[in-house]
């Protein structure tokens, strides 16, 4: 763009095209020397104009046929010819009328090339083209609309709104009232959502996910990045957060999905390898197209020594952050580094701590989401994920205190300590969360070993639960400690509560399901499996009947918000919980 920038410095230094002095000078020149230079230049000018017209027609045709790459090349050729024509005629035979005509052609060419680049998601280059067009004509309607759409796609809703409002002042805004008004209203809505995180998926859920996947605004709530006691950097709450509150909503840099074959193990692994390769290619392509994206990806952990790494500011990840030279420019794509980053930070959608809503619920999916990559594992997690298309919503699964690190479960935490320890080793780390430290001191107890041996063998789960409860009394376990142990042996509690035979024998000797669920959710947050057993039990016992189950219903709804977040109205949540 060096030539383009220099020509616009020249255009800015050119006298006002409407200047009476310039027009008078040209008239005097033509009257005093009729036909001499102009006649000599006419054949050459006519040839150049013919060439420009041919190039412009070709570029326009390619644009209308949606052949974006070819149209970009054609418009680039046209722009180059026009710039040369302006230089040449400025030095040899300046003509204000012709200059004005060429400037208008140049403005439209930049605008159309921006549109083509926008369709290819080359947002940075498209924005530069829009800015070049607006240097020529600051109120150019088509360019303002195009720039607004680009900024909206970059989640810079406030800046996009300014473009659409400026376009609305143009007379063409009246002609295109419906289209422009739709853009304005959509932009206002997303600007509001990006500031509040007040998402509502109710209609989509109530219609059985049959409608188009809803578009979501980027939202960053009360969080910050700090050094984590768990590992590397982590996300932390900057204020008290209520269960279900949305903390973060963001779109993936890239995703890859597919349905894996179930019959042959080898074919399933091969399909995953193909998906992984496609996923890597998409991430590299995104980093290549946008220096800001490349820079933000490079801020993620590679799994190496991070002592000397500077703690990234959350502000860098906000869409409205400008691409300042010291932060985002001149970033080179290092494929090997990206591979290490993806190995550490990619998220599988169908995870124990996640819920996939909509048409992708039966797919195997992997993606890269930037800020969520900073969330570490804990066996007493406090956030969950909700996947909506390519968007990811992070919400509190239990109440969170200001300064507390946000964590979710990388694997199933409703299992005993020794099982979780092995899972963590498979992931390549040792979990030293509060819950693991507490249970490690108790795992040698005889009652604990006995219950572990009984699990999954179809034996008397009521007896196992009774032994554990009696053991906790002797060990003087209090508060969350009870919640941790009951979570570890949820399998035993679940089987016992769902068996009428077991409950007839042990029902009066073990705590009620309501007490157990309360303390488990308080310890490790809402879990779909726990809430499902509670709902089924209340249905069997008539606890959800109208007029006699208000407290039970409120409890279930609260736990449901911990699973799905405050992203829907009560009726939609009832539908998901099958109430």
């Amino acid at each position: 763009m060096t030539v383009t920038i220099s020509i616009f410095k020249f255009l800015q230094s050119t006298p006002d095209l409407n200047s009476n002095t310039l027009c008078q000078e040209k008239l005097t020149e033509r009257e005093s020397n009729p036909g001499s230079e102009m006649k000599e230049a006419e054949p050459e000018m006519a040839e150049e104009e013919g060439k420009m017209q041919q190039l412009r027609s070709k570029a326009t045709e390619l644009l209308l046929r949606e052949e974006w790459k070819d149209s970009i090349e054609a418009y680039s050729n046209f722009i180059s010819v026009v710039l040369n024509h302006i230089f040449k005629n400025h030095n040899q035979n300046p003509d204000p009328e012709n200059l004005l005509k060429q400037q208008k052609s140049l403005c439209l060419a930049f605008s159309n090339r921006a549109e083509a680049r926008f369709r290819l998601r080359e947002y940075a280059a498209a924005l530069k083209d829009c800015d070049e067009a607006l240097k020529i004509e600051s109120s150019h309607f088509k360019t303002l609309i195009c720039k607004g759409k680009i900024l909206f796609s970059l989640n810079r809703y406030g800046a996009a709104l300014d473009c659409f409002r400026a376009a609305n002042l143009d007379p063409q805004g009246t002609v295109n009232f419906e289209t422009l008004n739709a853009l304005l209203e959509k932009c206002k809505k997303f600007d509001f959502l990006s500031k509040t995180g007040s998402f509502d998926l109710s209609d989509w859920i109530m219609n059985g996910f049959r409608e188009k996947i809803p578009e979501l605004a980027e939202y960053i709530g009360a969080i910050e990045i700090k050094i984590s006691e768990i590992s590397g950097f982590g996300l932390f709450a900057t204020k008290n957060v209520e269960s279900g509150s949305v903390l973060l909503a963001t779109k993936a840099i890239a995703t890859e999905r597919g349905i894996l074959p179930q019959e042959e193990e080898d074919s399933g692994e091969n399909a995953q390898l193909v998906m992984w390769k496609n996923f890597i290619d998409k991430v590299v392509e995104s980093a290549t197209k946008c220096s800001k994206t490349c820079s933000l990806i490079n801020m993620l952990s590679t799994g190496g020594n991070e002592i000397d790494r500077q703690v990234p500011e959350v502000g860098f990840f906000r869409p409205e952050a400008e691409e300042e030279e010291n932060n985002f420019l001149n970033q080179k794509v290092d494929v090997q580094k990206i591979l290490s980053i993806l190995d550490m930070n990619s998220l599988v959608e169908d995870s124990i701590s996640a819920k996939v809503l909509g048409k992708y619920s039966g797919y195997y999916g992997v993606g890269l989401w930037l800020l969520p990559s900073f969330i570490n594992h804990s066996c007493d997690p406090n956030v969950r994920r909700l996947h909506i298309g390519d968007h990811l919503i992070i919400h509190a699964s239990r109440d969170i205190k200001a300064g507390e690190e946000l964590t979710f479960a990388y694997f199933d935490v409703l299992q005993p300590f020794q099982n979780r320890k092995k899972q963590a080793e498979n992931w390549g780390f040792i979990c030293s969360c509060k819950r693991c430290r507490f249970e490690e001191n108790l795992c040698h107890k005889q009652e604990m070993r006995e219950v572990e041996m009984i699990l999954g063998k179809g034996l008397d789960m009521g007896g196992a639960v009774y032994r554990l409860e009696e053991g906790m009394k002797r060990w003087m376990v209090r508060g969350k400690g009870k919640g941790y142990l009951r979570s570890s042996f949820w399998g035993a509690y679940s089987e016992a509560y769902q068996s009428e035979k077991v409950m007839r024998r042990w029902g009066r000797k073990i705590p009620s399901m309501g007490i157990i669920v309360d303390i488990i959710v308080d310890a490790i947050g809402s879990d779909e499996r726990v809430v499902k057993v509670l709902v089924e039990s209340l249905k069997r016992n008539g606890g959800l009947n109208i007029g006699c189950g208000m407290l039970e219903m409120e409890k279930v709804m609260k736990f449901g918000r911990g699973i799905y977040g405050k992203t829907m109205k009560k009726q939609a949540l009832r539908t998901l919980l099958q109430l």
Side-chain angles (χ1 to χ4, degrees), residues 45-172:
M45 286 180 62
E47 184 179 347
E48 286 186 358
E49 288 180 358
K51 181 179 180 181
M52 286 188 289
Q53 179 61 39
Q54 186 178 8
L55 285 172
R56 180 168 54 197
S57 298
K58 179 183 177 182
T60 303
E61 181 183 350
L62 291 168
L63 187 73
L64 292 173
R65 281 161 38 187
E66 300 185 359
E67 297 179 18
W68 310 122
K69 289 186 178 180
D70 291 339
S71 69
I72 290 171
E73 183 180 353
Y75 275 117
S76 298
N77 291 335
F78 173 74
I79 290 168
S80 179
V81 171
V82 173
L83 291 175
N84 290 331
H85 180 79
I86 292 175
F87 266 127
K88 187 176 181 180
N89 284 279
H90 174 69
N91 294 326
Q92 295 181 0
N93 186 35
D95 183 339
E97 293 179 5
N98 187 55
L99 179 60
L100 179 60
K101 177 182 176 183
Q102 299 308 323
Q103 281 184 301
K104 287 184 175 180
S105 296
L106 204 56
C107 177
L108 186 58
F110 276 120
S111 183
N112 286 342
R113 189 170 71 174
E115 179 70 27
R117 283 175 164 166
F118 165 62
R119 297 304 185 95
L120 292 176
R121 299 186 179 183
E122 297 175 358
Y123 298 135
L127 275 179
K128 287 181 181 179
D129 277 348
C130 286
D131 290 338
E132 297 297 347
L134 293 172
K135 285 178 185 178
I136 302 171
E137 188 179 337
S138 60
S139 60
H140 191 250
F141 180 81
K142 184 175 183 180
T143 304
L144 287 170
I145 294 296
C146 183
K147 185 175 182 180
K149 290 191 294 184
I150 296 167
L151 291 168
F152 184 88
S153 297
L154 292 170
N155 307 304
R156 294 166 60 181
Y157 311 117
L161 200 53
D162 290 339
C163 288
F164 295 141
R165 282 171 174 162
N168 199 34
L169 299 175
D170 191 276
Q172 290 190 55

Side-chain angles (χ1 to χ4, degrees), residues 97 226 247 331 409 432 437 489 496 556:
E97 293 179 5
K226 292 168 56 178
L247 290 156
Q331 289 288 323
S432 57
R437 293 197 304 271
F489 296 98
V556 171

